[in-house]
Structure formats: C-alpha cells, structure tokens
C-alpha cells in the first residue's frame, strides 16, 4: 500500500541518517573489542532512552549528498547530470565541512570552474583517469532506489550508474553504487511481516551482479567479478553455524572507503542483524545492523548509513527508535524530503 511505502521511504532515509550521524564519531576507529562494545551499547541505550537535551548528532557528506539526490529526483523526476552536479557543488560550497572524501573535492572545484560544461568530465579525470573507486556513489544512492520503487531492476541500475558518474567513474565505484541501490530496492519491495530469507536475498544480488560484471570476464584481470566474489563471501559467512570472527569479516569483507570493501559489508550487516549478534544486546534488528556496522570501525559512518538505508527500507520507519531520531541533526528535513520523494515517485510512475 501507499502508506506502507511512505513509511519505508522514511525508514530508509532516516535509517541512513541514523547510521551516518551515529557512526561519524567512530569513523576511522579500530574494530570495537571487549569494553569498547559495551561503551557503544551504552551510547545507543542513551540515545534510545528517555529524551534528554543535547547537541544533535551531526550528519556528514553521506547525508548531504543523499539529500542532493532526493531533491533532484523530486524536482525533475529523473537524474539530470547537470542539475545533480550543480546541486552537489552548491551543497559543498555552502557547507564544506562535512567530512567529504579526500579526492572528490577536486571534482567540485573543476565542475564549478568549468561552469558545468561537461558534468561528467571531472570525475573521469580522477586518479589519473581511472576514476574514484570510493564508496561515495553508494553511500548516497538510497533515494534513487526508493524513487524507482515501481521500476525494473534494469531501470534502477541505469539510474544508479548515472547518479554515480558525476563523481565516480571507476568501474568499482559505479558497480558498488548499483549494488547498494539493488539492495535497497529489494528490501523496499519485501513484506517486513514475513521472515526475510537471507539466502534468497543474497543469491538474487549475486545473480544480478554476475550479469553486471560479466563483461569483466576474459579480460585477464586478477579479479574478474569482484563484487560477485564478495557477495559469495557474505553468503558463506551467513551460512556458517557459528558467527565468523570480526577479524575474518574485516579481512574478507573489509571496512574501508572503497566501494568494494564496504558495500558488501553493509549488506552483510543488514542480513546478519536478522538474528541476534554476539556482543550486541538488542532485540531491534535495525539497531543491531547499525550498531554492528559501527562496531567494525573503519568507514563506520558510511557502512552504518548504507546498512541503515537497507534495513529501514525493509522494516519501515517504526523500527527506528523515535527517541534516537530526535537526536539526529536534520531529521525533520529528511522526513519531509522522504515524503516528497514518495509523492514524486507516485506521480512519475502514473501510466506506466
Ligand atoms: O568516494 P568518496 O565520495 O568518499 C566517501 C567517503 C565516505 O567514507 C564519506 O563518509 C567520506 O568520509 O568519504 O570520495 P573520493 O575522494 O572519491 O574517494 C575516497 C577515497 O578513496 C579517496 O580519498 C582515496 O583515498 C580512495 N580512492 C582511491 N585511492 C587510490 N586510487 C578512491 N579511488 C582511488 C583510486 O583509484
Ligand atoms: Mg561521511
Ligand atoms: Mg581509481
Ligand atoms: Mg564515511
């Protein structure tokens, strides 16, 4: 129903915001062990407990750029390269201190200087022409998947790619964006009242990524189909009788700013949190996903934000503690944009 989708839109966008805001203080930290896990638990207990007045938890570039995407989709009903580039640049120069990736700022400067002559050119020039493989495309893509809730996977894939290309030209930067979009889209279309079949969820993503990465076969690369391989590792971890150690998870799935070593990790966090997690004492699966993601350290804001976006798209907004939401900077604006994005998605799909 329309009301359920509206709740899922808010769930996904507030879920992403929660992961970003709560994870940001942990970005760059080591994996939480022993007492650090308990400190993290207390941090969440406090935020979810009776409301107290405190400075809001600040959002970062992950949220700033997601909202740019939402605005462009609301306004234009599609991704317009130039409009999106203008929106990113406007946002960055208005509010630059949001922890942006180290290299992406060059793109913003070049876009502005060239007056957006070719909105895709600066991204192509990153890293000596290979493009960025950072997770910046993936971290902001949830609104694309939400907006496309009535569209086919192929249409989601195209829109996700396009949204990435303004800043991320490297195949892994793009494919990571596509994977995150497909994960959010799949979660959005599922009934949260039904027990989620994690095995099916991951096999569906593997099938889709295989098809996307097929052109890499036979190129003699060390690692043809890298995302497929990472997703197969996620499936393996989920099927184990005992939880893999944090070291195994970090060594195989990773927790860094590259798309390849963060997007599959976020999907793993979401799926693993369907069940209880050792060292995480909460009966709320959304909180488990986000808290576990943050406990892994590294690119904590982004991995938690991506896991939160998937989880919120599956469960809807009610899974997120309302007390926690009140502590998040920008939560009213995000709620409003989620509602507008939902309305816009209904309009553009009329007659389809
Ligand atoms: O991908 P991007 O937008 O960064 C997003 C991350 C998230 O964690 C945010 O929370 C924020 O903290 O930043 O920005 P980029 O600058 O394009 O990529 C991020 C980083 O990935 C770069 O600064 C590089 O360190 C690394 N990187 C690369 N390194 C070597 N070669 C990305 N591409 C390459 C590459 O081709
Ligand atoms: Mg960030
Ligand atoms: Mg590169
Ligand atoms: Mg980050």
């Amino acid at each position: 129903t329309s009301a359920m989708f509206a709740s899922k839109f808010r769930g996904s966008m507030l879920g992403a915001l929660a992961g970003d805001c709560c994870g940001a203080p942990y970005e760059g930290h080591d994996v939480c062990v022993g007492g650090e896990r308990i400190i993290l638990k207390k941090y969440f207990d406090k935020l979810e407990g009776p409301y107290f007045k405190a400075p809001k938890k600040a959002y970062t570039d992950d949220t700033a750029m997601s909202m740019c995407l939402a605005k462009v989709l609301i306004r234009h009903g599609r991704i317009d390269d130039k409009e999106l580039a203008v929106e990113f640049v406007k946002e960055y120069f208005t509010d630059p201190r949001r922890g942006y990736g180290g290299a992406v700022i060059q793109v913003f400067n070049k876009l502005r200087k060239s007056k957006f002559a070719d909105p895709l050119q600066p991204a192509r020039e990153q890293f000596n022409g290979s493009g960025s493989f950072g997770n910046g495309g993936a971290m902001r893509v949830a609104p694309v998947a939400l907006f496309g809730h009535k569209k086919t996977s192929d249409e989601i894939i195209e829109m996700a790619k396009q949204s990435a290309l303004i800043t991320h030209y490297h195949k892994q930067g793009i494919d990571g964006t596509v994977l995150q979009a497909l994960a959010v889209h799949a979660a959005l279309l599922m009934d949260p009242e039904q027990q989620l079949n994690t095995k099916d969820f991951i096999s569906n993503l593997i099938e889709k990524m295989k098809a996307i990465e097929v052109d890499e076969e036979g190129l003699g690369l060390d690692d043809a189909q890298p995302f497929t391989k990472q997703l197969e590792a996620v499936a393996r971890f989920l099927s184990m009788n005992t939880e893999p150690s944090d070291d195994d998870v970090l060594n195989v799935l990773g927790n860094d700013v590259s798309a390849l070593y963060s997007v599959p990790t976020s999907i793993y966090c979401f799926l693993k949190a369907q069940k209880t997690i050792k060292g995480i004492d909460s009966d709320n699966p959304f909180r488990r996903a986000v808290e576990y993601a943050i406990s892994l350290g590294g690119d904590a804001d982004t991995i938690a934000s991506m896991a939160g976006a998937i989880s919120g798209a599956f469960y809807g907004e009610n899974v997120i503690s309302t007390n926690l939401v009140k502590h998040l900077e920008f939560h009213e604006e995000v709620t409003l944009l989620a509602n507008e994005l939902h309305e816009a998605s209904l309009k553009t799909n009329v007659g389809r």
Side-chain angles (χ1 to χ4, degrees), residues 39-215:
I39 293 170
L40 184 59
K41 175 188 154 41
K42 285 188 176 152
Y43 170 71
F44 272 96
D45 282 347
K46 197 170 167 204
L47 292 171
E48 291 188 350
Y51 184 75
F52 60 97
K53 234 177 138 63
K56 297 257 186 297
K57 298 249 155 251
Y59 68 84
T60 77
D61 59 327
D62 304 50
T63 297
M65 295 189 93
S66 294
M67 294 314 123
C68 291
L69 263 163
K71 284 181 204 163
V72 167
L73 290 167
I74 291 163
R75 227 186 288 133
H76 302 281
R78 64 186 183 88
I79 310 271
D80 180 284
D81 293 341
K82 187 174 168 199
E83 293 293 338
L84 185 57
V86 168
E87 203 62 44
F88 285 157
V89 166
K90 227 171 52 191
E91 171 62 36
Y92 172 71
F93 285 101
T94 308
D95 194 6
R97 299 182 65 169
R98 291 283 175 183
Y100 282 87
V104 73
I105 292 159
Q106 289 174 42
V107 174
F108 301 145
N109 279 309
K110 286 184 184 175
L111 283 170
R112 184 161 81 159
K113 218 170 150 201
S114 69
K115 302 208 170 71
F116 307 92
D118 178 354
L120 304 185
Q121 183 56 26
R124 287 190 207 109
E125 292 170 5
Q126 292 295 88
F127 297 94
N128 298 314
S130 61
S132 170
F133 56 56
N135 55 21
M139 75 185 181
R140 66 183 185 232
V141 80
V144 172
L146 299 174
F147 181 78
H149 76 288
K150 290 191 175 166
K151 296 184 191 291
T152 63
S153 299
D154 284 343
E155 290 172 297
I156 301 286
I157 290 167
E158 267 324 297
M159 283 171 70
K161 268 188 193 160
Q162 213 193 337
S163 75
L165 278 171
I166 309 296
T167 51
H168 289 69
Y169 173 70
H170 193 286
K171 181 106 170 51
Q172 287 179 9
I174 297 166
D175 286 354
T177 306
V178 167
L179 174 57
Q180 171 65 11
L182 289 172
V184 172
H185 190 234
L188 181 69
L189 299 185
M190 286 173 165
D191 178 1
E193 302 295 325
Q194 305 277 313
Q195 170 81 40
L196 187 145
N197 185 326
T198 59
K199 221 172 138 187
D200 286 354
F201 191 93
I202 204 77
S203 353
N204 284 329
L205 289 177
I206 289 172
E207 281 317 302
K208 295 207 170 90
M209 289 316 286
K210 254 191 197 156
I212 289 164
E213 293 186 313
V214 75
D215 51 328

Side-chain angles (χ1 to χ4, degrees), residues 20 27 60-62 99 135 139 257 298-303:
D20 183 20
E27 197 181 24
T60 77
D61 59 327
D62 304 50
N135 55 21
M139 75 185 181
V257 295
D299 196 0
D301 63 336
T302 303
I303 296 173

